[in-house]
Amino acid sequence: SLELRGQVVVLSAGSGTAGRVVDGEGVLGLARSFLAGGARVVVGSRWPMRDSESAALVSRLTQGLAEGLAVDVALARAQDSLAADGSHYASWAGFMVVGDGSAVPFPGGVGRFPGWAALLLLATGLGIGAAVRPTRL
């Protein structure tokens, strides 16, 4: 009943992309619920992470999204950045994209969407997941 209509959902707490594998259905978990609710793409972790580790990754992810990158590219760049900084792989490798990773929530960057920039900063600062509405592709 959330009526997500193509939004991008970032789950920064818990293990949002994990779940039980059911024959003929795939993985049943929180990410699937968001997709069934209309989300276009969900980013989340396959295993529980420390808040500080999750916040570091989500901060870099949202920075990439704010610059106008596709979700999958922004996530890969965030993970590469943490790896280059010497972060242990367990602190970033668990995050994955479920759904259409080619979605670009902010084509041209958030300069064209000033209200969304505040939402991204708030979500990153609070260390919580955010749902953002991409432009229609």
Side-chain angles (χ1 to χ4, degrees):
S1 66
L2 290 177
E3 299 182 21
L4 296 173
R5 291 188 215 120
Q7 292 182 352
V8 176
V9 176
V10 177
L11 304 172
S12 64
S15 50
T17 60
R20 186 171 53 99
V21 178
V22 176
D23 289 342
E25 294 294 326
V27 178
L28 298 180
L30 189 56
R32 181 169 178 183
S33 297
F34 278 105
L35 293 171
R40 182 169 179 184
V41 60
V42 177
V43 178
S45 179
R46 291 183 292 245
W47 54 75
M49 302 187 61
R50 292 184 183 102
D51 289 344
S52 61
E53 294 170 343
S54 182
L57 185 123
V58 172
S59 175
R60 293 173 196 217
L61 169 67
T62 55
Q63 179 181 359
L65 295 176
E67 292 172 10
L69 297 177
V71 175
D72 55 359
V73 173
L75 178 60
R77 188 172 85 171
Q79 291 172 318
D80 288 347
S81 173
L82 288 169
D85 287 349
S87 295
H88 191 271
Y89 74 91
S91 69
W92 52 263
F95 274 86
M96 63 182 286
V97 173
V98 180
D100 183 5
S102 68
V104 179
F106 307 106
V110 294
R112 294 188 46 211
F113 304 90
W116 291 110
L119 174 63
L120 285 174
L121 293 174
L122 175 64
T124 301
L126 295 175
I128 60 172
V132 295
R133 184 176 310 280
T135 59
R136 297 277 180 203
L137 299 178

